[in-house]
Amino acid sequence: MSTSGKGPVGVEFVDLHRHFGTVRGLDGLSLAIEPGELVCLLGPSGCGKTTALRIVAGLDHPTSGEVLVGGKDVTGVPTNKRDMGMVFQAYSLFPHLSAADNVAFGLKLRGLGARERRKRAYEMLELVGLSVHADRYPHQLSGGQQQRVALARALAFQPSVLLLDEPLSALDAKVRVQLRDEIRRVQLEVGTTTLFVTHDQEEALAISDRVGVMNAGRLEQLAAPAELYSSPASQFVAEFVGLTNRVPAQARDGRAIVLGDQEVPALAGSVAGDGLALIRPEAIAVEPDEQGTATVTQLSFRGPITQVHCELGGSELLVQMASAEAQQLTLGGRVRLVIAPAPVLVVPA
Amino acid sequence: MKAWLRWLILALFAIYFFGPLLSMLDFSTKKNGGGRTGAAWKALVTDEQVRHAIVQSLLLCVATVVLMLVLLVPTMVWVRLRLPRLRRLIEFLCLLPLTIPALVIVVGINGVYAWVNYFFGYSPLVLTFAYVVLVLPYSYRALDASLSSIDVTTLAEAARSLGAGWFTVIVRVVAPNLGAGILSAAFISVALVLGEFTFASLLNYQTLPVVIDLFGKSDSHVSVAASLGTIVFASLLLLLLSFAGRRSRGPKGV
Ligand SMILES: Nc1ncnc2c1ncn2[C@@H]1O[C@H](COP(=O)(O)OP(=O)(O)OP(=O)(O)O)[C@@H](O)[C@H]1O
Ligand SMILES: [Mg+2]
């Protein structure tokens, strides 16, 4: 199944500002989503993710700036003419309609005949694995099932853009993981350009083609998940995505010296001179060594990996390593820390 | 609590509620010389004046309910979705009739009704306009409660994103989910209209309560029969509506 005829379109935010009185919900957001791509907007609470999404949907209007869909400015187009499917954080199925009728709602508005609607509604429910519950009412469905129906409803009329605002945040952890993978599978299948808003970084990294990290109404970085993780463009991104250690460092000529004598490449955007290197917990290796300068202060077992806390010169470092390797460590034992030669970001101390 | 005490309280309440009703039934079927007769009840349909009043009052109920819903539902939904700042004002306006005695309103609108009669003809049905104002506070409360129980904003936004215009949002998405509120607003309006006396009497319209009062002076058997009839009718309606309210989630076609 693909978006018939129309083909996927790109979406572009051009210097969006949205002011609520003195609060700057969006403060110059620019971002381009490629046709057929799934982009997650990720950021802390209140950074403007929902505001951005609502502006794309036409449910809110920018103070200045514009939204381009397929190269055309849609700023003045009302929501019901924008041709965008939307899945909300709150349960939004129409309580008086069955699952199938909910899915068929958008088709009915587009004048499709009853038989055609029914057929298409079943196809969509099939796609989200719920065709057996087609005749159930929303109050007879679980939260996860309701969100699946909502997804089917949003895609049934083959919208040019799919928008999701934290669709999984009301669900429990296990369902959340299942459903996010399902959303990604369905999205790849229909090929609709998709904007997904979340504050859950794991979710964003798992399903996106690219992740846009937002902070205070602006975009910090837009990059593929792996790149975002390995080459954060700013301190905010490095610290928001994944865990980091701050280790004193001297940077010069694209190199950084950390832990006295270890040299690693420094990322673009690093400061020169004295600073703090932001180092991922898994980029540090811990080796038992009687002459080592660090001490193991805590070992916490997390299944396949173990988190090791080490104390070094008065500061605490977090290390993640395979549990099998961590077995040779003892609490209070002396260890040596070795930094992997992956590039690090050095920020002002 | 002891069982006998519970039964005693129940019995006292039963006597309190049903005593007067049974007395009314007794009185309305009593023959003047002794014995029983259904003459008073028969008069409800055979007496031209009573029958006319009953029909007019029922029509008034329907007209009031329809006009009230047509005015109130879209307004309240619209205010909630688009003009939340006006909500307090609308609430204040809707509750206002509650604070003004009916008598005062009647005196005030007496002059207006000269014009109403001029434009719409002389029929008790023109009372609809006054009655809509009268039932406003109660219907507002009922509708407001049921609007608060659903997430109107999200439902409306979902419908809009699916391509629905505002009319479709209100008629096909919000209204069907206000079932309980619409029913209770309708019921309370019917009950009020069936019992309203001040407006009708002072504005000189022959509605059922006015005619009941009239007969109270000439043939009190008929008047009591009509009163009891009204009470029974309203109670049946209440039962029916609460039954329908519970089943209002029935399936609807695609
Ligand atoms: N209607 C509004 N009136 C006033 N301020 C608003 C309004 N909507 C959003 N804001 C403000 O704009 C900023 C961005 O809000 P937004 O809802 O977009 O955040 P978010 O990133 O979606 O956060 P969350 O993860 O908590 O959902 C916040 O500071 C918020 O307080
Ligand atoms: Mg939000």
Side-chain angles (χ1 to χ4, degrees), chain A residues 174-192:
Chain A
K174 199 167 166 201
V175 181
R176 204 150 62 208
V177 171
Q178 261 174 21
L179 200 45
R180 76 169 194 223
D181 294 340
E182 187 138 340
I183 289 175
R184 177 56 162 166
R185 174 182 65 74
V186 170
Q187 190 268 337
L188 286 173
E189 200 165 327
V190 297
T192 308

Side-chain angles (χ1 to χ4, degrees), chain A residues 54 59 78-81 84-86 88 90-97 100-102 104-106 108-110 114 117-118 137 139 153-154 157, chain B residues 82 150-151 153-169 171-178 248-254:
Chain A
R54 291 176 61 83
L59 295 170
T79 304
N80 54 334
K81 300 270 172 358
M84 292 182 183
M86 204 165 171
F88 297 80
Y91 299 135
S92 64
L93 294 184
F94 307 133
H96 66 298
L97 297 178
D101 290 350
N102 262 285
F105 189 87
K108 193 172 182 178
L109 291 176
R110 283 163 181 77
R117 287 204 300 267
R118 192 120 195 112
Y137 284 83
H139 70 277
R153 179 178 71 176
F157 63 96
Chain B
R82 307 284 293 178
I150 59 173
D151 187 348
T153 317
T154 306
L155 289 186
E157 287 180 350
R160 302 262 304 145
S161 76
L162 293 168
W166 287 112
F167 182 78
T168 311
V169 169
V171 173
R172 295 242 299 267
V173 176
V174 181
N177 288 302
L178 294 182
S248 70
R249 278 213 170 143
K252 293 186 183 75
V254 183

Side-chain angles (χ1 to χ4, degrees), chain A residues 132-290:
Chain A
V132 289
H133 294 327
D135 293 318
R136 289 212 188 169
Y137 284 83
H139 70 277
Q140 299 168 317
L141 296 169
S142 72
Q145 290 171 335
Q146 289 190 44
Q147 290 303 63
R148 279 171 208 245
V149 176
L151 178 67
R153 179 178 71 176
L155 286 170
F157 63 96
Q158 302 179 327
S160 52
V161 179
L162 177 64
L163 305 170
L164 307 102
D165 187 4
E166 310 210 16
L168 309 175
S169 63
L171 307 174
D172 63 51
K174 199 167 166 201
V175 181
R176 204 150 62 208
V177 171
Q178 261 174 21
L179 200 45
R180 76 169 194 223
D181 294 340
E182 187 138 340
I183 289 175
R184 177 56 162 166
R185 174 182 65 74
V186 170
Q187 190 268 337
L188 286 173
E189 200 165 327
V190 297
T192 308
T193 310
T194 301
L195 183 61
F196 188 113
V197 160
T198 179
H199 63 258
D200 181 339
Q201 46 161 306
E202 194 191 316
E203 203 167 285
L205 297 177
I207 65 169
S208 311
D209 290 308
R210 287 189 298 164
V211 179
V213 179
M214 285 183 68
N215 181 28
R218 298 162 163 275
L219 186 71
E220 289 272 335
Q221 185 175 9
L222 177 66
E227 187 188 342
L228 199 67
Y229 191 76
S230 61
S231 318
S234 68
Q235 180 173 2
F236 180 84
V237 175
E239 297 193 323
F240 188 77
V241 180
L243 299 164
T244 51
N245 290 295
R246 294 156 161 247
V247 179
Q250 286 99 43
R252 115 172 55 81
D253 308 328
R255 313 287 299 166
I257 314 284
V258 287
L259 301 183
D261 57 353
Q262 302 188 39
E263 198 178 282
V264 292
L267 283 168
S270 293
V271 294
D274 286 346
L276 291 170
L278 303 177
I279 301 177
R280 299 287 183 200
E282 66 277 8
I284 306 175
V286 184
E287 293 165 6
D289 182 350
E290 281 310 313

Side-chain angles (χ1 to χ4, degrees), chain B residues 160-226:
Chain B
R160 302 262 304 145
S161 76
L162 293 168
W166 287 112
F167 182 78
T168 311
V169 169
I170 292 175
V171 173
R172 295 242 299 267
V173 176
V174 181
N177 288 302
L178 294 182
I182 289 180
L183 281 176
S184 56
F187 171 71
I188 204 153
S189 304
V190 168
L192 277 170
V193 171
L194 283 181
E196 205 290 324
F197 178 75
T198 321
F199 276 61
S201 169
L202 293 180
L203 293 173
N204 261 320
Y205 295 105
Q206 304 265 305
T207 61
L208 188 57
V210 172
V211 171
I212 288 176
D213 175 59
L214 223 61
F215 271 74
K217 288 160 194 154
S218 57
D219 186 345
S220 45
H221 291 288
V222 174
S223 137
V224 169

